[in-house]
């Protein structure tokens, strides 16, 4: 759930990049972090795990403007995709406001893509959330490998596997090259902020106004 600081007039929105191991979640965030100037980004924090990293930092994306006079601060998180880090993935999802599910074009990751999406369903359910209640978009990463000597999945195959129920927007990406990275971020940021403003901000503002009148 978004944190709304009325005294500083800031909204803190939490966006989590989810997906199977080595699909490119961390690569997305590293590319974003390195492309932003120091004034627009906070310090990156990293938790090292075997073969994967959980990292997070916040952004102050000025191009998104303000919502009802509130500055918007985006907190970006990744989760470790390997099965053994189930508890960590669930913990990182706590308080999530928006999701990017990163899928892998490599055919060898076909089953892992589906398993990870099912895992996301289960973990959201633990917080009384569903994918219908929260903004989510799909990113199909490693599109630069299609076609390739290594067997890959087509966009149409990934759509059938992952988007038949979600019916959400899809971005093809090559995160190592920055292709589709900021397009993905821009879309999920826009949807998340709209969701937070509609669901939470009017209630907070009304409550704040009532408190001032009663004081």
């Amino acid at each position: 759930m978004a944190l709304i600081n009325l005294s500083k007039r800031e909204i803190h929105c939490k966006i989590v990049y989810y997906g199977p191991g080595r699909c490119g979640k961390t690569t997305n965030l590293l590319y974003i972090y390195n492309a932003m100037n120091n004034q627009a980004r906070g310090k990156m924090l990293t938790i090292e795990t075997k073969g994967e990293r959980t990292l997070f930092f916040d952004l102050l994306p000025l191009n998104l403007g303000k919502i009802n006079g509130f500055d918007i601060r985006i907190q970006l998180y990744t989760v470790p995709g390997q099965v053994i880090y189930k508890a960590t993935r669930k913990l990182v999802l706590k308080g999530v406001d928006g999701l990017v599910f990163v899928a892998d074009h490599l055919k060898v990751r076909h089953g892992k893509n589906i398993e990870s999406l099912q895992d996301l369903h289960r973990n959201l359910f633990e917080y009384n959330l569903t994918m219908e209640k929260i903004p989510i978009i799909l990113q199909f990463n490693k599109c630069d490998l299609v076609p390739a000597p290594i067997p890959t999945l087509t966009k149409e195959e990934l759509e059938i596997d992952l988007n038949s129920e979600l019916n959400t927007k899809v971005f093809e990406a090559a995160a190592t090259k920055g292709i589709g990275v900021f397009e993905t971020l821009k879309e999920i940021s826009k949807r998340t902020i709209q969701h937070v403003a509609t669901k939470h901000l009017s209630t907070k503002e009304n409550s704040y106004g009532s408190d001032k009148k009663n004081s």
Side-chain angles (χ1 to χ4, degrees):
M1 181 177 177
L3 295 175
I4 300 174
N5 189 319
L6 292 168
S7 61
K8 291 185 177 180
R9 306 292 291 179
E10 285 185 346
I11 305 171
H12 294 248
C13 300
K14 181 177 182 178
I15 295 173
V16 175
Y17 281 62
Y18 208 96
R22 302 184 181 278
C23 66
K25 305 179 297 296
T26 298
T27 307
N28 266 271
L29 265 67
L30 287 173
Y31 189 90
I32 293 166
Y33 185 84
N34 291 327
M36 302 293 288
N37 63 52
N38 291 334
Q39 293 179 328
R41 71 186 189 192
K43 184 179 179 181
M44 180 183 290
L45 301 176
T46 305
I47 302 170
E48 295 285 349
T49 51
K50 291 182 180 179
E52 286 230 0
R53 285 181 290 176
T54 298
L55 56 86
F56 52 96
F57 61 93
D58 66 348
L59 294 173
L60 189 63
L62 300 177
N63 61 319
L64 292 174
K66 294 176 180 273
I67 299 291
N68 291 0
F70 282 73
D71 287 319
I72 302 154
R73 191 170 291 276
I74 303 291
Q75 298 174 324
L76 298 181
Y77 285 73
T78 63
V79 294
Q82 295 179 9
V83 175
I84 60 173
Y85 301 117
K86 180 179 179 180
T88 304
R89 286 196 298 277
K90 181 180 173 182
L91 182 62
V92 172
L93 278 176
K94 187 174 182 179
V96 65
D97 297 300
L99 285 160
V100 175
F101 186 87
V102 183
D104 197 320
H105 260 296
L106 294 180
K107 202 157 214 170
V108 70
R109 302 289 186 185
H110 175 248
K112 297 296 183 182
N113 287 331
I114 296 171
E115 288 173 15
S116 183
L117 188 62
Q118 292 171 342
D119 182 69
L120 176 57
H121 271 288
R122 288 190 295 269
N123 284 330
L124 288 175
F125 183 76
E126 293 291 325
Y127 292 118
N128 197 30
L129 289 171
T130 66
M131 294 188 196
E132 292 74 33
K133 292 182 180 179
I134 193 166
I136 181 171
I137 60 172
L138 294 173
Q139 184 192 88
F140 298 160
N141 192 31
K142 305 180 186 176
C143 69
D144 53 324
L145 301 181
V146 182
I150 307 168
T152 56
L153 298 162
T154 65
K155 182 183 178 183
E156 291 71 26
E157 288 173 318
L158 285 169
E159 286 266 14
I160 292 169
D161 285 343
L162 306 171
N163 204 25
S164 55
E165 292 185 15
L166 293 177
N167 193 28
T168 191
K169 194 159 187 174
V170 172
F171 289 89
E172 288 208 280
T176 56
K177 300 175 181 177
I179 298 170
V181 172
F182 275 99
E183 291 84 351
T184 301
L185 176 63
K186 182 178 178 181
E187 181 66 21
I188 191 57
S189 297
K190 181 178 71 174
R191 293 191 184 198
T192 300
I193 290 163
Q194 289 172 346
H195 172 74
V196 168
T198 301
K199 187 173 182 181
H200 303 297
L201 191 54
S202 60
T203 302
K204 287 281 185 182
E205 285 278 64
N206 290 339
S207 174
Y208 182 61
S210 298
D211 289 345
K212 288 182 72 175
K213 288 179 182 179
N214 293 331
S215 61

